Structure formats: structure tokens, C-alpha cells
Amino acid sequence: MIHWVELTVFAVLFVAVTVLGFLASRWQRGGSLDHLDEWGLGGRKFGSWVTWFLVGGDLYTAYTFVAVPALLFGAGALGFYALPYTVVLYPLVFLPVLRLWSVSRVHGYVTPADFVRGRYGSSLLALVVALTGIVATMPYIALQLAGLEAVLRTMGLNASGIAGHLPLFVAFVILALYTYQSGLRAPALIAFVKDILIYLVILVAVFYLPAKLGGWSHIFDVSAKKLATPNPSTGAPMGSILLTGNNQLQYVTLALGSALALFLYPHSVTGVLASRGRVVLKRNMVALPAYSLLLGLLALLGYVAIAAGVKPITNNATGRPDTNTVITVLFQNQFGAVFAGIAFAAIGIGALVPAAIMSIAAANLWTRNIYKTYLKRDATPAQEAKQAKLASLVVKVGAVLFIVAVDPQFSIDLQLIGGVIILQTLPAVAIALYTRWLHRWALIAGWLAGMGYGLYLLYKIPNPAAKRLHFGGSALTLDKLTVFGWHPFIGSTVQIYVGFVALVVNLLVAVIATLVLRATSASNGEDETTAEDYHTDEGSDRIKPPAVGSVIH
């Protein structure tokens, strides 16, 4: 049954942001959008407020809105890893992002792979970083679709087959059109609407729903009892409102690994490089934790859904409950139709903003580090911009096909795998911001070792609930860890995040290979950057000016 009032409210707000998306091409525009700095980085002129909404909209997505509470709904306290992860994130990246902004502005870098090429004089290492970024971003874009589909399914658009995905196709055709026309300015402008709606919905939910359902004490009591019931697939408890001895290490390594990975994703770097100066970034590193407070409140809605007796909607295509619908069903059951429609619009628009930024970031990588480096070295700025626009369309089409062809639960696991993948670029990108001690060939060797071992460990993880023997998640029991056939933790049921293990292997191999290569005096390439480049700020005569235009506050 289609819920017409909810659908109407959703559609009105969706049309409103679509109009904003097209108007964004004229919003304080500087030079021509036929320039990658203008189309892909908004002219590098975003001020504090725009950057705060853009980066916040980029990092806190529709998938976050539906998946974090869903994880608490299904597994309990483990889902809270997202809170310490976003708390430790900003102190960790505060100084590195300032250095990356400065050196990128001096040399006109558009992507992290541009920086790697300049730092090491290695197109091959830059290609590795670029391909890793594109591969890790694709399932992330697809997951925004999973959040949008959860909304559509809750409003009654739950047909099976191609017909069931038609509203999704329409939404992403519109997204593709205004992103193609307006570039990064479109999600930057829409992010204002998205974040205001999300703040409104969550603040209402965390005060109104607990009062309606008997208070937080009752909610925690009901959640503890429900999570203690055995899982039909494994016989073990479904979860716990407290961490257990088996998942504490996983919790810590997942939070730390996720924090290290987030600003390695191309879309996060795009938000950083689009800002006007170091002062803007400093303000945002201080202000962005406000979203972490919001995330903590949001996560608690998973327990609220348990207390409210929410039953996830069954996916007609797979025949299994879609846990992504937990929050949308909660809102539908507990709120009036109009406010539920507003909440659904917040989630739906929350899918469009990061999906647009991610597709632009992936297109920038393709254009700068594959197309221009290997296919057309003499590409003009206009040709670069055209190629990026086309690539962004291809990325969106790929993401839509991905969500149509792949079980949504598998796509969630793939996002976790994406985190393992992007972490392998940390030595080449983050560490290189401070030192070139690691040799460029050692970095490639470390990447191969970390990537290979990480994927091998992921392959060994089953998912009994989804009846899969392999690639069932990112939590590995220590007894499955092997070192050249040796099992150092045999019999242990303690779990750890695979990405953390793979990164340690990557770093060990890179260090050992560097020692060997330095002993043989192997060339480490030419570094086009200088120490001063990493401290340059807005207004310096060392800055390469972007396309001419006014500053966006």
C-alpha cells in the first residue's frame, strides 16, 4: 500500500532540492564550469559555513542515518563504534588535512593521487592510489541508494524486479543531471537543506519518542532482553547492550581503523580541497564534532525501535527482512504522516548529497590520474572538465546497477570491505605528508601485501544469517589469523577488524622493503614539493590562483 501523504511531502521537498541543484550552477560562480577547479572543487573558494555543511553532508550520510541504528537494533553496543570513531577522527586528521590543503593549493593538486605523483614522481604509485580510491568509493555510493531505497520501500514502493527500482532510477537521473550541470556547487547548496532537516528530525525523535515509549530506562531494559534472545542461525545471543569479551578488540580496532580511513576516501579529500584556506579547515575540525553528538543521538534510535516493537519490511526481491528499514518504519509508526514524510525526505536528500560528492571525487580521480596521465597527456582544462562530467555519469550508472544486481546486505558488507581497501593508501598519502622515508617501490609492495592479505582474511569470514561462506563482514576471529601457516591465536573467539590487521601488514612490508631498497641506494624519485609548501596559507604569493571568482562564505 502506498502512503500518499508521506510520498507527497517527500516529493515536494525532493523537487525543491532538485531546483536548488540546477540553480547552484549560478550560485556565486567564478570562472567557467569548463574547468576542473570550478566544476570539481567549487572554485576552491568555500568558506566556513559552506565547508561545514558540505563536509558534514559528505561524511554523515543516508546510510549512516539508517545503518547505525539498524546495527544497534540487530547487534547492540557494537554499533556504538561509530561514536568514538567520529570523536577521535578530528584530532587525528587536524594537522594532516592542513598540510594536504596547503601543498595541493600550491601545486594545483585536485586528488590525493595528484599529491602522491608529485611527492614521489611516480605515475604508477599515483595510479594505484587512484584505482584504490575509485574501487573503495563505488560500494559507498551504492549504499546511499540502499538508504534511499529503504525510504521508498517504507512509503509503499516495494515492488519486485525492475519496476521496484523505477523510483530509484528517476531520482538518480535527476541527481546525474544537476551534478553534471552544477558540479560540486550542487551538493554544497543542497547540504544546507539536508542538514537542517536531519537536525530537526533527530532532535524531535530523541525527545518525543522516549517520552512516548516509557522513558530511556524502559527502552534499555526492553533492548537488553530482546538482544539476549538466541539468534536462530547461530544459537548465540543476538547481541548485548554492553560489549563482551569477544567484541571489545573489534570495537576498538574498528573505531580506530574507520577514523584513519575516513579522510583517505576521495570524497572527503574533495571537501577539504574545496575550502578557501587553512583557517576555514581549522574552524571546521573544531565544529564538525557537533555531527558526532547528532550521531550518538541517532544511534540510540536503534534501541527505541526495539522498544517500539518495530518489524523490518520484507524485501520482495530477496524474501528476507530489510534491516535498513528499521528507522523508517519507526518514524512511520510513531509520527504523523506529514512529519514522517519530512523525515523520509531528510534521509532521501541525505543520500543525494554524498552520492553527488562521491561521484565527483571518483570522476576527478579518473580524469586527472588515468585519462590525463595515460590517455591524453595534452588534455586542455575544458577537456578535463568534460571528461570528469562524463565519468561522474558513468559512476552513478554503475552504482545504480550495483544496487539492482546485488543483495543489499552484501552491499553493506562490501562497504566494510571498502574501508579495508582504502586504508591501504594511508602510507602513500597520510605518512607521505610528513616524510618521504618510505620508498616508492616499498609503498607499492606494502600496498600489495596489505591488500592481498586483507582480501584473503575477508574471504575467510562467513555470514551464517545470509547463508554465505565468504565475504560475510569485516570482523575476524583471531583463531583465523595465520602467519605463514602458523596459527598464533588458535581457539580464540576474540574478534578484530580486518582493516587494522591488513594495515599493520602493509606498514611492516613497506618498512622492511624500504630498508632493503635504501641499502641498495635505489632511486626514490623526484619530489616536486618543498617544506614551505606544507604551511602555505590563503593569500600567499606561492598559491596558484584557481579560476577567477568571488569567495563563497
Side-chain angles (χ1 to χ4, degrees), residues 105-342:
R105 185 57 67 89
V106 170
H107 293 278
Y109 299 149
V110 175
T111 69
D114 280 352
F115 162 69
V116 170
R117 186 187 65 247
R119 184 65 154 153
Y120 286 97
S122 173
S123 295
L124 177 59
L125 184 57
L127 176 65
V128 167
V129 171
L131 290 175
T132 304
I134 293 171
V135 170
T137 300
M138 285 299 293
Y140 219 152
I141 300 173
L143 280 177
Q144 307 316 310
L145 304 185
L148 183 55
E149 276 214 314
V151 169
L152 297 174
R153 191 169 289 131
T154 304
M155 292 189 297
L157 304 175
N158 192 29
S160 58
I162 297 297
H165 294 290
L166 184 58
L168 189 66
F169 293 155
V170 173
F172 262 68
V173 165
I174 294 171
L175 170 68
L177 290 175
Y178 66 64
T179 303
Y180 184 94
Q181 174 175 312
S182 305
L184 193 64
R185 283 179 171 80
L189 190 57
I190 294 171
F192 282 86
V193 179
K194 170 250 184 189
D195 288 353
I196 290 170
L197 288 176
I198 284 182
Y199 268 99
L200 170 67
V201 170
I202 293 180
L203 290 175
V204 169
V206 297
F207 286 105
Y208 170 72
L209 293 180
K212 183 179 180 181
L213 296 172
W216 285 110
S217 178
H218 173 71
I219 288 170
F220 277 103
D221 288 344
V222 173
S223 299
K225 292 176 183 177
K226 173 69 182 297
L227 291 168
T229 58
N231 187 317
S233 302
T234 63
M238 295 176 60
S240 170
I241 63 170
L242 298 175
L243 294 174
T244 67
N246 288 339
N247 63 17
Q248 289 173 1
L249 181 61
Q250 179 196 358
Y251 183 89
V252 172
T253 54
L254 183 56
L256 180 58
S258 298
L260 292 173
L262 188 57
F263 271 87
L264 294 171
Y265 276 105
H267 58 277
S268 301
V269 174
T270 296
V272 168
L273 299 187
S275 64
R276 187 177 69 227
R278 290 166 64 99
V279 172
V280 169
L281 289 175
K282 290 176 182 177
R283 290 171 181 160
N284 273 270
M285 291 301 107
V286 172
L288 280 167
Y291 282 96
S292 301
L293 172 63
L294 193 70
L295 182 60
L297 298 175
L298 170 63
L300 287 170
L301 294 181
Y303 290 158
V304 173
I306 294 177
V310 167
K311 302 294 183 185
I313 295 173
T314 299
N315 185 335
N316 289 341
T318 65
R320 296 201 306 270
D322 179 5
T323 56
N324 288 332
T325 61
V326 165
I327 291 303
T328 53
V329 171
L330 173 68
F331 289 165
Q332 187 176 68
N333 291 347
Q334 301 297 326
F335 291 138
V338 173
F339 193 80
I342 293 173

